[in-house]
Amino acid sequence: MKNKKIIIIGGGVIGLGIGWQLTKSGTDVTIYDSAEAGRAASWAAAGMLAPLAEAHTEEPDLLNLGCESLALYPKWVSELESDAKMSVGFRVEGTLIVGLESDDTHQLRHLYQAQQQLGLNVNWLSGGEVREIESALSPRVSAAIQCETDYQVDNRLMVTALKTAYLNNGGVLHENSPIEKIHTKDCHVEGIETQDGFQPAEIVILSAGCWSSQVNGIPDEFCPPVRPVKGQMMALQMEDGISINSVIRTVRARYPTSVYLVPRTDGRLIIGATSEEMGYDTRITVGGMFELLRGAWEAVPGVYELPILETWTGLRPGSRDNAPILGKTPIENLIYATGHYRNGILLTPITAYEISKLVLSGNTSDALKSFQLDRFLE
Amino acid sequence: MKNKKIIIIGGGVIGLGIGWQLTKSGTDVTIYDSAEAGRAASWAAAGMLAPLAEAHTEEPDLLNLGCESLALYPKWVSELESDAKMSVGFRVEGTLIVGLESDDTHQLRHLYQAQQQLGLNVNWLSGGEVREIESALSPRVSAAIQCETDYQVDNRLMVTALKTAYLNNGGVLHENSPIEKIHTKDCHVEGIETQDGFQPAEIVILSAGCWSSQVNGIPDEFCPPVRPVKGQMMALQMEDGISINSVIRTVRARYPTSVYLVPRTDGRLIIGATSEEMGYDTRITVGGMFELLRGAWEAVPGVYELPILETWTGLRPGSRDNAPILGKTPIENLIYATGHYRNGILLTPITAYEISKLVLSGNTSDALKSFQLDRFLE
């Protein structure tokens, strides 16, 4: 399959990651992005690699996929940093999930029990114990779960690195190039229609995030069930007198938004995120900013004085069951790699490795089996 | 004095207003602004014309000056709109000062009594009565003071109009032209030093807002005692389902920041403002934004869903006694028009009319007498 032409629709971390892996094996790859590659959900993300903190007992396959992808991260980072000749800000200080009020502690206890039932490596900490790790936490923090193996990566650096590595390996990237449609014939992909006309391809990979359901040419019944889930975020500048090293996540039973604080090596402190069903609306709102500011301030009072560097919105590609849609589809040679919802950065390595293997071998690995589109088809 | 050359340092509403009035009488005026004219406090302001709401019993002269300037506003607006051929968004819906909790009501009652002692035209309203005027107010609003004659103007439109009117009348404006120093000799102004060399002037008017104390060449003892007082602000976009016509000010006894909401004709809703002693720092902070959002949301719950269009910071030129510094100085032919603090937009007409009269006649009017620099000199 190495001599075949592959087209990837969508140049976020998923599309770039797959493209990079394929070009390393000498495959002819072209990525089309409707805007600037890597500037949608990949850019908006916080870069948390948190399968344990995000664990839900009702989603064991997804938890497993996340843990497998996290286990691939050291190899992924080493390979990517070597190819791109830059750091991607991979940090292993771990994650602390904190609660402030008694109902938060109840919710935290419930999560901890679920994590223990799943056999996850987590620790219960008192308020005093967690403040020994992060002294900037509020005296109101009454309990915490420590997820020592939930790491972070700087997703914006990863975008830049993936783009560099992909292009250095001979990948072709068309930015600001929305495609008109996917060409199919007899349930078989023939290529895509762009503004410059028909582009033939042996395989088309759809990795267009929350826009994946909007691509023309796919019969309705096989469209990936992906919708945008809006998240508002901001970045603060850490200054003298405030130092945070762990990723901090809050559990707030009474509030509409539980926030997280992700400290970057360059001194930025990322605060996120709302979770809103607002279609493709990307506006910053009073309520969104208010919940982020309140949540961050209550957990880490010292942020009150910090400058706000940037506010932004991202659209998570949420599937119907929160898990990604990966692998073959009923349309021959059309492959899906979309619907990564809250876990796009975490799941990039396993998606890139497994989908590129699928393209090269034609065989679906065990890792992909539970995540194919066919789970939604009757 | 019409043939003399006048130099004005600082092209905010004060400098532009004086310049415009002087050029109308045929005077030769040149304004120097260190940045873009009208883009500092004049641009950052909310445009409230609120001598009653801002009244303090301990500042009767200032209250009087504010009321006199407000009385000039209809004439000022008519003259300016005619000269500039544009609207400046003057609106007469009045101002409502609202309280939410019982300690707010106490503070409101105290303010109302002070206003009554000063003989001001204000009305006490119950929560129900004030919601009949502005139905978007929270059910928690328990009482209000109505200041029917506290109006608003769109200060950004006024900046544009003043610039247009000034230039149309032959005024000269040098933007991005910081001056090196004021040239004095024997306590007498001779001109200014610019990057292009010495510029002679018969009269120099200093209207450089919070930078007025930073101008070189004035002996320390005669420097205007003006400092920057930082205010953080934002603009929301009003949408269907939320309609506000009055200026709304909150009194919040328990919070560090009482906010105001100023509805513009174009659908913007201005929210302000913090009051911070932070020098020339203009950064947007967590605490600043949080207090504005909380204050606005608690008074008008419907703002929660509104998009944030813009955030910004202004530096009010605060004098030692909160009143402006107007008129002659111990340095002959150096005139001050600075230190307008929270009332720059309100006091623009009286400042422009009275200072231009002073320049043309050489005589200090009664209106200016209490506000000269000499009140600070021992």
Side-chain angles (χ1 to χ4, degrees):
Chain A
M1 177 120 7
K2 283 192 190 178
N3 299 321
K4 291 188 174 175
K5 173 156 187 187
I6 312 295
I7 284 177
I8 299 177
I9 302 169
V13 286
I14 299 297
L16 287 169
I18 296 167
W20 170 51
Q21 285 298 311
L22 286 173
T23 53
K24 282 172 76 96
S25 70
T27 311
D28 175 3
V29 184
T30 302
I31 295 178
Y32 290 86
D33 197 289
S34 61
E36 190 181 346
R39 286 291 179 141
S42 303
W43 197 257
M48 291 181 294
L49 309 174
L52 306 197
E54 296 265 351
H56 295 283
T57 43
E58 65 273 29
E59 296 168 352
D61 287 344
L62 182 56
L63 169 62
N64 196 40
L65 189 74
C67 289
E68 282 182 44
S69 196
L70 181 57
L72 292 168
Y73 244 96
K75 174 193 167 201
W76 170 264
V77 167
S78 150
E79 191 182 343
L80 179 57
E81 291 187 339
S82 165
D83 272 24
K85 298 186 177 40
M86 62 177 281
S87 163
V88 296
F90 181 58
R91 290 179 61 169
V92 297
E93 280 91 344
T95 295
L96 300 165
I97 315 174
V98 305
L100 274 75
E101 289 162 312
S102 59
D103 38 2
D104 302 338
T105 310
H106 274 97
Q107 195 167 315
L108 211 54
R109 180 70 67 181
H110 183 76
L111 172 62
Y112 182 64
Q113 284 164 351
Q115 289 170 322
Q116 285 191 305
Q117 278 166 20
L118 291 163
L120 304 178
N121 176 26
V122 292
N123 305 312
W124 183 264
L125 302 179
S126 69
E129 286 167 337
V130 69
R131 275 189 296 279
E132 273 178 33
I133 300 170
E134 292 294 348
S135 60
L137 284 168
S138 170
R140 290 176 62 201
V141 169
S142 52
I145 300 170
Q146 182 181 35
C147 309
E148 285 180 297
T149 59
D150 274 359
Y151 303 142
Q152 66 147 304
V153 69
D154 186 327
N155 47 291
R156 294 187 181 179
L157 293 178
M158 194 160 95
V159 163
T160 305
L162 280 171
K163 214 161 149 176
T164 303
Y166 171 70
L167 294 172
N168 285 350
N169 280 317
V172 177
L173 175 60
H174 295 291
E175 297 184 292
N176 302 303
S177 301
I179 72 150
E180 307 277 336
K181 64 177 291 189
I182 296 177
H183 266 284
T184 60
K185 191 178 174 188
D186 303 333
C187 246
H188 178 100
V189 161
E190 298 193 308
I192 64 168
E193 192 72 30
T194 71
Q195 288 161 327
D196 296 326
F198 177 71
Q199 311 292 330
E202 270 68 39
I203 290 181
V204 171
I205 300 170
L206 179 60
S207 56
C210 70
W211 293 276
S212 297
S213 59
Q214 308 292 304
V215 173
N216 292 321
I218 304 172
D220 282 354
E221 65 268 34
F222 304 143
C223 241
V226 177
R227 72 190 190 287
V229 182
K230 176 180 174 182
Q232 297 185 50
M233 304 183 61
M234 67 175 69
L236 313 182
Q237 178 67 50
M238 286 188 283
E239 293 184 331
D240 292 348
I242 189 149
S243 165
I244 300 172
N245 292 301
S246 314
V247 173
I248 295 169
R249 301 169 69 108
T250 69
V251 159
R252 300 309 305 275
R254 293 186 199 174
Y255 291 163
T257 303
S258 291
V259 307
Y260 52 75
L261 300 91
V262 183
R264 294 279 198 250
T265 305
D266 64 3
R268 284 162 69 95
L269 181 64
I270 313 297
I271 312 288
T274 62
S275 193
E276 305 166 66
E277 299 282 351
M278 294 286 287
Y280 292 94
D281 175 318
T282 56
R283 296 176 306 178
I284 295 291
T285 67
V286 169
M289 289 298 109
F290 178 70
E291 299 301 345
L292 296 184
L293 293 166
R294 172 167 67 175
W297 175 48
E298 290 191 351
V300 181
V303 301
Y304 196 84
E305 304 294 336
L306 299 185
I308 299 173
L309 295 177
E310 187 188 350
T311 60
W312 69 92
T313 296
L315 297 175
R316 308 174 187 90
S319 79
R320 209 181 294 153
D321 62 0
N322 300 335
I325 303 167
L326 304 174
K328 292 184 178 177
T329 67
I331 298 165
E332 200 177 341
N333 292 333
L334 175 64
I335 289 175
Y336 284 170
T338 187
H340 290 75
Y341 192 36
R342 305 169 58 87
N343 299 302
I345 305 298
L346 169 63
L347 297 177
T348 294
I350 200 161
T351 302
Y353 288 135
E354 296 297 329
I355 295 289
S356 57
K357 265 194 272 176
L358 169 62
V359 168
L360 296 171
S361 71
N363 298 323
T364 296
S365 66
D366 289 344
L368 295 183
K369 282 210 171 93
S370 314
F371 298 99
Q372 296 180 115
L373 179 73
D374 59 14
R375 73 187 189 274
F376 297 116
L377 304 176
E378 289 175 4
Chain B
M1 178 125 1
K2 284 190 188 176
N3 299 320
K4 292 188 173 172
K5 173 158 186 185
I6 313 295
I7 284 176
I8 299 177
I9 302 168
V13 286
I14 300 296
L16 287 169
I18 297 167
W20 169 51
Q21 285 298 311
L22 286 172
T23 53
K24 282 172 76 96
S25 69
T27 311
D28 175 4
V29 184
T30 303
I31 296 178
Y32 290 86
D33 197 290
S34 62
E36 190 180 346
R39 287 291 179 141
S42 303
W43 197 256
M48 291 180 295
L49 310 174
L52 306 197
E54 296 264 350
H56 295 283
T57 44
E58 65 274 26
E59 296 167 352
D61 288 343
L62 183 56
L63 169 63
N64 196 40
L65 190 75
C67 290
E68 281 181 45
S69 195
L70 180 58
L72 292 168
Y73 244 96
K75 175 194 165 199
W76 169 265
V77 167
S78 152
E79 191 182 342
L80 180 57
E81 292 188 339
S82 166
D83 272 25
K85 299 187 176 38
M86 63 177 282
S87 164
V88 296
F90 180 58
R91 290 179 60 169
V92 296
E93 280 91 344
T95 295
L96 299 166
I97 315 175
V98 306
L100 275 75
E101 289 162 313
S102 59
D103 38 3
D104 302 339
T105 310
H106 274 96
Q107 195 166 316
L108 212 53
R109 180 70 68 181
H110 183 76
L111 172 61
Y112 182 64
Q113 284 163 352
Q115 289 170 323
Q116 285 190 305
Q117 276 165 20
L118 290 163
L120 304 179
N121 176 27
V122 292
N123 305 311
W124 183 264
L125 302 179
S126 69
E129 286 167 338
V130 71
R131 276 189 296 279
E132 273 178 32
I133 300 169
E134 292 294 348
S135 60
L137 284 167
S138 169
R140 290 176 63 202
V141 168
S142 51
I145 299 171
Q146 182 181 35
C147 308
E148 285 180 296
T149 59
D150 274 359
Y151 303 143
Q152 66 147 303
V153 69
D154 186 326
N155 46 291
R156 294 188 180 178
L157 293 178
M158 194 162 96
V159 163
T160 305
L162 281 170
K163 214 161 150 176
T164 303
Y166 171 71
L167 294 172
N168 285 351
N169 280 317
V172 177
L173 175 61
H174 296 290
E175 297 184 293
N176 303 304
S177 301
I179 71 150
E180 308 277 336
K181 64 177 290 189
I182 296 177
H183 266 283
T184 60
K185 191 180 175 187
D186 303 332
C187 245
H188 178 100
V189 160
E190 298 193 309
I192 64 169
E193 192 72 30
T194 71
Q195 286 162 325
D196 296 327
F198 176 72
Q199 311 292 329
E202 271 69 37
I203 290 180
V204 171
I205 300 170
L206 179 59
S207 56
C210 71
W211 294 276
S212 298
S213 59
Q214 309 292 304
V215 173
N216 292 321
I218 304 172
D220 282 353
E221 65 269 34
F222 303 143
C223 242
V226 177
R227 72 189 191 288
V229 182
K230 177 180 174 182
Q232 298 185 49
M233 304 183 61
M234 67 175 69
L236 314 182
Q237 178 67 50
M238 287 188 282
E239 294 184 331
D240 292 346
I242 189 149
S243 165
I244 299 172
N245 292 300
S246 313
V247 173
I248 294 169
R249 302 169 67 108
T250 69
V251 159
R252 300 310 304 274
R254 293 186 199 176
Y255 291 163
T257 302
S258 291
V259 307
Y260 51 76
L261 300 91
V262 183
R264 293 278 199 251
T265 305
D266 64 3
R268 283 162 69 95
L269 181 64
I270 313 297
I271 313 287
T274 63
S275 194
E276 305 167 67
E277 300 281 351
M278 293 286 288
Y280 292 93
D281 175 318
T282 55
R283 297 177 305 178
I284 296 290
T285 67
V286 169
M289 289 298 109
F290 178 70
E291 300 299 345
L292 296 184
L293 293 166
R294 173 168 66 176
W297 174 48
E298 290 191 352
V300 181
V303 301
Y304 195 85
E305 303 295 336
L306 298 185
I308 299 173
L309 296 176
E310 187 188 350
T311 59
W312 68 93
T313 296
L315 298 174
R316 307 174 187 91
S319 80
R320 208 182 293 153
D321 62 1
N322 300 335
I325 303 167
L326 305 173
K328 292 184 179 177
T329 67
I331 298 165
E332 200 178 342
N333 292 333
L334 176 63
I335 289 175
Y336 284 171
T338 186
H340 290 76
Y341 192 36
R342 305 170 57 86
N343 300 301
I345 305 297
L346 170 63
L347 297 176
T348 295
I350 200 161
T351 302
Y353 288 136
E354 296 297 328
I355 295 290
S356 57
K357 266 194 270 177
L358 169 62
V359 169
L360 295 172
S361 70
N363 297 323
T364 296
S365 66
D366 289 344
L368 296 183
K369 283 211 171 92
S370 313
F371 298 99
Q372 296 180 116
L373 179 73
D374 59 15
R375 73 187 190 273
F376 297 116
L377 305 177
E378 289 174 5

